[in-house]
Structure formats: structure tokens, C-alpha cells
Amino acid sequence: MLGVGYGVAVGLTVLAIILAASPPQTGPLGPASRLILTLLGLNLVIILLLMAAVGLRIGELLRARTEDAGARLHVRFVRLFAFAAVAPAAVVFIFYGVLVSRGVENWFSERVQTVVENAATVFRSYVDEQTRYIVEHVTPMAADLNREAGALQARPDQVDEYLDALASYHAFPAAYLVDRQGRVLAKVESADAPPYVPPPRAGFDAADQGEIYVPDFTGADVMRALYKLNAYDEVYLYIARPLREGIVAYLRQAEGSLVSYRDVAQNRERIQTIFALSYAETALLVLVGAVWLGLGAANAISAPVARLVQAAGRVAGGRPGRPRGRGRRS
């Protein structure tokens, strides 16, 4: 039972250390989560039970050492093994306290915080700038189309040409006139234009309210915008503008890192507690293992010596006795 309990405690300690040393992340397995503290708390209970079991055995030896030479030898072995385990642990604890404390403080230094905050700000600023560009250019482009509505409806063959001129002037590689069902009425696409993606139904509802609807561009480095042309019957201007390749992935990564960093910063004390418990439980496991090993070694070595001492004592006292398990010769 002691071996099974020791194995479970070692497994829980290793799992807690792996989770605590993992990169900061949100969610139930984040290093600052209550799950790891619960795991360490359960593991501490198991270790204390193991220490109690070993302590009971040592207590029996201490009570018997006044009469049993083998018990005295047991206690001496246990003392030596325990000292061999505690001495290195104490030295490591001093360096641990300094290194971990300094390391955690460096994680949340003003310089690191500034770098993390600025990384997210740079990418978000780029996307905001592109959104602002679309809004500032879609409005005058739609105004020109509304102003020329009569002439364009009278000469439909010039719609594509006029739309091409507007798209080139406003630096949109793709521009479309679509109806409410998403059907393309007129279009212009440059050689590097992204593929056409129909606007979502929610986009038409927003555009009907006079808004410039910019769909969520997660997963694609393309921004699109939908705007209703009031001079036409349910006709919408729909444009596409590519972003720098990979910028959206960098933005999501920077935002995720910023959220994780802020979450970890708010739980700094909990992280330090996790590291302290992880080390303390590791040291206790080493101590219990050393004492257990000392008991086993003492059993193997001291039992024959104890029998020899007891036999010598009987001889010295004039009571040699007979070896057990052997009958008298006939």
C-alpha cells in the first residue's frame, strides 16, 4: 500500500509540474487555474498520509531501541538516509526561492508588459487603419454611383467601365454591384483580386440601416464592405481589399497572448503558490523515499547483526540457548 500510494503521489507531482511549467494559457488547464491547486492539494494529502505511515514505523523503532540493538541500528540508518535527502533539498530550496521569485517578477516587469501590449496594439492599429480607409473611400464611391444613377441606368453598358474607374481611383482590387440575394449585377476585378464571397444576410440588414457593413474577416486576409446605394432599387456596393498576408493570424496570436498575459498577471500570487507547492511536495517525496529506503536497507543489514548481538549477549550472560527450529540430537 505504501508503494502504491508513493507511485500515485509521484504521478500527481509530475503532472502538476508539467501543467505549472506549461506556457501561459487561458482555460481550465492554464498554469494559474484552480485545477492545478486542487491537484496539488490532493497530492499533499497523500504525501502527508505516507509520512504518517512512515512516522508510525519510526515511532515503533524508537520505542524498541532501548531493548533491541536491531532497532537502534534501524534508527541510525533512517537518520543517515533522511539527512542525505534533506541536506540537498535545503540547499536547492535557497536557490529555488531566489530564482523562482526573481523569474516570476521578471515575467511581469514593466518592459515585458510594454512589449506584449505594444505587439497587440501594432496589429490592431493596422486593422483599424484599413477599416478606416474602407469607410473613408466607400462613402464617396457610393456618392458618385448615386449621382450618376440616371445616366448609368440609361446606358447599362457603361456601368462596368464606370465602376472600374472608381475602383482604380480608390485602390479597390475588386468591386461589385449586387442585389439583395447576392447576385452580381456588375463587377470589376483586377488580376490579384480575391475570389468573390457573397455577403451574409446580416450584412444586407445592416446596410439597409445606412451602415457600412464590414464582415468578420477571421481566417482570411481580406476585408470586405457592403453599402446600400439609395439611388437604385435594392442595389448594394460591395468591395474587397486584401490585407498583408498573414496579418490576421498575427493579430489573433497577439490578442491571445495579451489576454493570457493579463490573466496570468492577475493571478501572480497563485502562480507563486503553485511553484512553491510543487517544490515542497517534490522535496517531501524525496524525504519519504529516502526514509523508506533507509528502512529497507536497515532491514536487510541490521536483522542479521541484531541476531548476532542478541546471541553474543546470551553467551556473555551464560544463556547460549539453542537455535530455533532445530531439535536435540539423539
Side-chain angles (χ1 to χ4, degrees), residues 8-21:
V8 172
V10 170
L12 291 177
T13 302
V14 171
L15 179 59
I17 292 175
I18 292 175
L19 293 177

Side-chain angles (χ1 to χ4, degrees), residues 75-124:
V75 173
R76 184 170 298 180
F77 267 99
V78 171
R79 186 185 303 118
L80 291 175
F81 276 86
F83 180 77
V86 171
V91 175
V92 173
F93 180 78
I94 298 175
F95 289 96
Y96 168 86
V98 175
L99 294 178
V100 172
S101 298
R102 293 295 301 173
V104 173
E105 291 298 328
N106 289 335
W107 289 356
F108 305 106
S109 64
E110 183 177 354
R111 180 179 300 178
V112 175
Q113 182 178 0
T114 301
V115 171
V116 176
E117 296 278 354
N118 288 347
T121 301
V122 168
F123 290 115
R124 172 53 62 184

Side-chain angles (χ1 to χ4, degrees), residues 68-293:
D68 189 353
R72 290 195 295 272
L73 192 57
H74 266 77
V75 173
R76 184 170 298 180
F77 267 99
V78 171
R79 186 185 303 118
L80 291 175
F81 276 86
F83 180 77
V86 171
V91 175
V92 173
F93 180 78
I94 298 175
F95 289 96
Y96 168 86
V98 175
L99 294 178
V100 172
S101 298
R102 293 295 301 173
V104 173
E105 291 298 328
N106 289 335
W107 289 356
F108 305 106
S109 64
E110 183 177 354
R111 180 179 300 178
V112 175
Q113 182 178 0
T114 301
V115 171
V116 176
E117 296 278 354
N118 288 347
T121 301
V122 168
F123 290 115
R124 172 53 62 184
S125 299
Y126 174 80
V127 174
D128 291 343
E129 179 183 354
Q130 298 302 315
T131 302
R132 186 165 53 252
Y133 179 91
I134 288 177
V135 172
E136 292 176 352
H137 286 263
V138 165
T139 302
M141 186 175 178
D144 290 338
L145 288 170
N146 286 328
R147 186 179 61 253
E148 300 296 331
L152 294 176
Q153 289 174 348
R155 303 189 62 179
D157 56 313
Q158 295 184 353
V159 175
D160 288 347
E161 182 179 352
Y162 188 69
L163 185 63
D164 187 11
L166 290 177
S168 299
Y169 178 78
H170 293 284
F172 291 134
Y176 309 89
L177 297 181
V178 299
D179 60 13
R180 192 171 179 80
Q181 285 69 41
R183 293 189 296 263
V184 177
L185 306 177
K187 69 175 181 178
V188 54
E189 295 177 333
S190 63
D192 58 346
Y196 174 76
V197 177
R201 181 60 55 185
F204 292 104
D205 297 335
D208 290 339
Q209 303 299 322
E211 302 177 7
I212 299 179
Y213 176 75
V214 180
D216 184 14
F217 51 90
T218 303
D221 296 327
V222 180
M223 294 186 68
R224 295 179 171 86
L226 185 70
Y227 188 66
K228 185 177 183 180
L229 299 176
N230 296 324
Y232 302 82
D233 184 18
E234 291 193 347
V235 176
Y236 301 81
L237 172 63
Y238 185 48
I239 60 93
R241 179 177 174 82
L243 301 176
R244 186 178 304 171
E245 184 177 359
I247 193 66
V248 175
Y250 294 144
L251 172 63
R252 300 305 179 195
Q253 182 179 1
E255 288 182 339
S257 300
L258 180 58
V259 171
S260 298
Y261 181 83
R262 289 175 175 173
D263 179 65
V264 173
Q266 293 175 355
N267 297 277
R268 181 189 309 184
E269 294 183 358
R270 190 183 302 174
I271 293 175
Q272 292 175 324
T273 302
I274 288 173
F275 282 135
L277 280 176
S278 299
Y279 174 78
E281 292 180 6
T282 303
L284 290 176
L285 280 174
V286 172
L287 178 60
V288 172
V291 174
W292 187 17
L293 182 61

